[in-house]
Amino acid sequence: EDQVTQSPEALRLQEGESSSLNCSYTVSGLRGLFWYRQDPGKGPEFLFTLYSAGEEKEKERLKATLTKKESFLHITAPKPEDSATYLCAVQPGRDTASKLTFGTGTRLQVTL
Amino acid sequence: KAGVTQTPRYLIKTRGQQVTLSCSPISGHRSVSWYQQTPGQGLQFLFEYFSETQRNKGNFPGRFSGRQFSNSRSEMNVSTLELGDSALYLCASSPRGGGADTQYFGPGTRLTVL
């Protein structure tokens, strides 16, 4: 069974204080690993897709990396508007259907 | 390009009733997936439709069903509602589904069962 574990559950940072969120996974043949951001009461907003170990992607203050067992979302010099829940999800490679298995997320709060 | 839309945004029902939720995917997307999000369980996969056929199904009881129309719009139905069905129901669309297609989510329908 596919499993995704995210840590920490919650993280409080001061503006400008960089940190990393962790996503550990077990999956039968990884087809893709996805990062989403979710604001309260809204649907998840797509951030990145990573396909293979060693891959990295960046967008503004966010950088996602992937190894064979985990992914990291690095947040550099965060701002209050980066406050949200960050979700990690994996898609297995054993079939062609779109079944994502999600972690429970990391709630990030960035304060002034 | 318009995003994924879901209607209604909020619903209040009582136990035993049934409910139908609607999802319109991004134009050109043929795969629609449904997820249930609760504080305790997080996001859980319900089912996926592609070209009007259910292609994959999660571990939910048969009270949860869905369908897809020829224009790729999808509906999901929950019959005999239970208190535990209170959740945010999210719809996601992707061009083909599978192959690590990115899934784009709608705003969700908040269902409250009293």
Side-chain angles (χ1 to χ4, degrees):
Chain A
E1 187 178 328
D2 305 329
Q3 283 194 321
V4 177
T5 303
Q6 292 188 246
S7 62
E9 285 188 17
L11 181 63
R12 185 173 174 140
L13 300 173
Q14 285 197 319
E15 186 175 13
E17 181 186 1
S18 302
S19 188
S20 296
L21 313 183
N22 178 262
C23 170
S24 298
Y25 64 90
T26 54
V27 65
S28 174
L30 180 70
R31 192 178 293 271
L33 184 141
F34 302 83
W35 281 98
Y36 289 87
R37 167 198 169 123
Q38 186 174 27
D39 293 301
K42 297 188 176 181
E45 175 190 345
F46 171 72
L47 294 173
F48 303 108
T49 306
L50 301 168
Y51 297 100
S52 57
E55 190 174 2
E56 299 182 352
K57 288 193 176 173
E58 285 188 69
K59 178 181 177 182
E60 296 179 355
R61 295 177 292 282
L62 301 177
K63 178 180 177 180
T65 61
L66 181 65
T67 72
K68 289 187 177 179
K69 294 186 176 182
E70 57 191 351
S71 176
F72 291 93
L73 185 66
H74 307 278
I75 303 177
T76 303
K79 298 182 178 182
E81 52 263 42
D82 294 323
S83 298
T85 296
Y86 290 85
L87 298 165
C88 170
V90 296
Q91 183 181 12
R94 59 180 176 271
D95 58 41
T96 58
S98 294
K99 177 180 179 180
L100 296 182
T101 297
F102 279 85
T104 52
T106 293
R107 287 191 319 278
L108 174 66
Q109 183 180 14
V110 182
T111 59
L112 293 171
Chain B
K1 209 181 231 185
V4 177
T5 58
Q6 293 187 244
T7 57
R9 293 294 312 279
Y10 303 92
L11 266 178
I12 299 176
K13 293 285 186 179
T14 56
R15 280 182 301 173
Q17 287 188 307
Q18 75 166 18
V19 67
T20 300
L21 312 181
S22 180
C23 171
S24 292
I26 292 171
S27 177
H29 286 194
R30 295 171 62 195
S31 169
V32 173
S33 298
W34 289 89
Y35 294 83
Q36 180 195 67
Q37 186 174 32
T38 59
Q41 299 294 321
L43 269 145
Q44 292 188 291
F45 175 80
L46 280 157
F47 29 65
E48 184 223 2
Y49 286 86
F50 179 79
S51 293
E52 302 177 65
T53 301
Q54 187 181 88
R55 194 158 62 169
N56 204 354
K57 190 177 190 305
N59 296 324
F60 280 83
R63 299 186 296 108
F64 292 82
S65 62
R67 59 178 176 168
Q68 186 180 34
F69 302 94
S70 58
N71 62 358
S72 294
R73 191 177 69 84
S74 178
E75 289 181 346
M76 68 163 281
N77 184 77
V78 188
S79 62
T80 319
L81 284 167
E82 300 178 359
L83 295 178
D85 296 333
S86 294
L88 182 67
Y89 289 88
L90 292 159
C91 162
S93 77
S94 62
R96 299 170 302 278
D101 261 5
T102 296
Q103 294 186 32
Y104 296 92
F105 283 83
T109 294
R110 171 74 63 186
L111 172 65
T112 301
V113 182
L114 302 175

